[in-house]
Amino acid sequence: MTNAPQTMSRRERLRAQTLQEIEDTSFAIIDADGIHALSIAALARGMAMSAPAVYRYFPSRDALVAHLVTLSYQQLVAAMSQAVEGSRRAPRARLRELVGAYRDWALRYRRRYGMLFGEQAGDLPGDVTGQTPLDQAMALLIDLLTAVQGTPSADSGSGDRTLDGQLRQWARAQQRPDTPPRAARAAILIWSRVHGIVSLELTGVFNNRSLEAQRLIDAEIDNAVRSLEPDGS
């Protein structure tokens, strides 16, 4: 005999609804005016509730921000996953779609994106496997680069034995222990360079239109793919 599914009590439903409203109102403040405009007092005003009532959900602004950072990473990972989920395109095309989804999310939620890298949010919580949202995003990138590389040749190292050992250790920490060093290196380089380009784009460095951020990103992807070839080191 199976147990009947548990239903939320009225108190639990009200708490969940209030938490959702806290998240929505906080993001509205951040999207409009930036993370520095978010305070417990501003949030309480936006929700027409008292500050002490908000503190029953989050003991401090730092705790609220840490929660919002985790949610934002989850939203970013979801956007990246949806971009490639069910796609039958070649791995290299899916790689472009994955990176494109990263950039699109950053441009759409530029202040949330800035919050991810500009706030002291503490350690991101992991799922049942221990993976944080950031780990999950990196795993998507690693898996696609491994698929692009295909069966690695005997010469699948980066050319630096010490670095190769570090890359293998890093891949194990990402729960991808079979990742060849070149694929791991390519994943790190793509992530760091795309993040750098997108960050410059968001600060207006390319506003004069003499440079197209997307072309720079495409060039970095092409360079990373070439580095997976036996003579690409």
Side-chain angles (χ1 to χ4, degrees):
M1 180 177 178
T2 59
N3 294 327
Q6 293 183 347
T7 58
M8 294 176 66
S9 68
R10 182 174 183 276
R11 182 188 295 268
E12 290 170 335
R13 289 198 304 272
L14 289 174
R15 182 173 179 82
Q17 291 168 2
T18 303
L19 178 59
Q20 183 66 59
E21 187 178 355
I22 288 174
E23 294 168 356
D24 293 343
T25 304
S26 296
F27 279 134
I29 293 171
I30 293 168
D31 292 341
D33 299 309
I35 183 63
H36 298 296
L38 179 66
S39 66
I40 297 297
L43 173 61
R45 286 194 301 271
M47 295 179 63
M49 65 187 297
S50 67
V54 176
Y55 281 115
R56 287 201 291 268
Y57 291 82
F58 295 97
S60 66
R61 178 187 183 274
D62 287 346
L64 172 61
V65 170
H67 178 73
L68 296 173
V69 166
T70 298
L71 281 182
S72 296
Y73 270 120
Q74 291 171 345
Q75 293 166 1
L76 174 57
V77 174
M80 294 169 67
S81 298
Q82 291 168 7
V84 297
E85 188 175 315
S87 175
R88 296 184 179 181
R89 302 186 69 185
R92 186 165 178 171
R94 281 184 280 143
L95 178 61
R96 288 182 180 274
E97 291 172 341
L98 185 76
V99 173
Y102 178 93
R103 176 174 177 255
D104 289 345
W105 190 91
L107 294 179
R108 182 177 179 182
Y109 301 109
R110 56 185 60 219
R111 284 178 166 147
R112 297 186 202 185
Y113 184 81
M115 175 182 70
L116 298 185
F117 303 98
E119 285 289 314
Q120 184 66 35
D123 294 332
L124 290 171
D127 60 14
V128 293
T129 68
Q131 279 197 314
T132 69
L134 188 56
D135 292 332
Q136 293 161 9
M138 185 61 80
L140 290 170
L141 185 57
I142 292 172
D143 290 346
L144 280 176
L145 284 165
T146 301
V148 168
Q149 184 177 21
T151 303
S153 65
D155 178 22
S156 62
S158 68
D160 181 331
R161 290 187 178 181
T162 300
L163 177 60
D164 286 349
Q166 295 170 354
L167 289 168
R168 290 189 179 96
Q169 183 177 358
W170 176 82
R172 286 194 295 271
Q174 301 298 317
Q175 300 186 14
R176 294 297 187 274
D178 297 328
T179 303
R182 288 192 182 188
R185 181 185 64 176
I188 294 171
L189 290 178
I190 285 180
W191 190 281
S192 59
R193 290 174 181 175
V194 170
H195 168 62
I197 292 169
V198 169
S199 297
L200 290 174
E201 183 178 16
L202 291 176
T203 58
V205 169
F206 306 135
N207 283 352
N208 60 10
R209 300 183 184 278
S210 62
L211 284 172
E212 296 179 40
Q214 188 59 57
R215 288 185 180 275
L216 292 171
I217 289 173
D218 289 343
E220 292 298 340
I221 293 174
D222 290 341
N223 287 336
V225 170
R226 280 194 293 272
S227 75
L228 299 177
E229 300 169 357
D231 60 350
S233 59

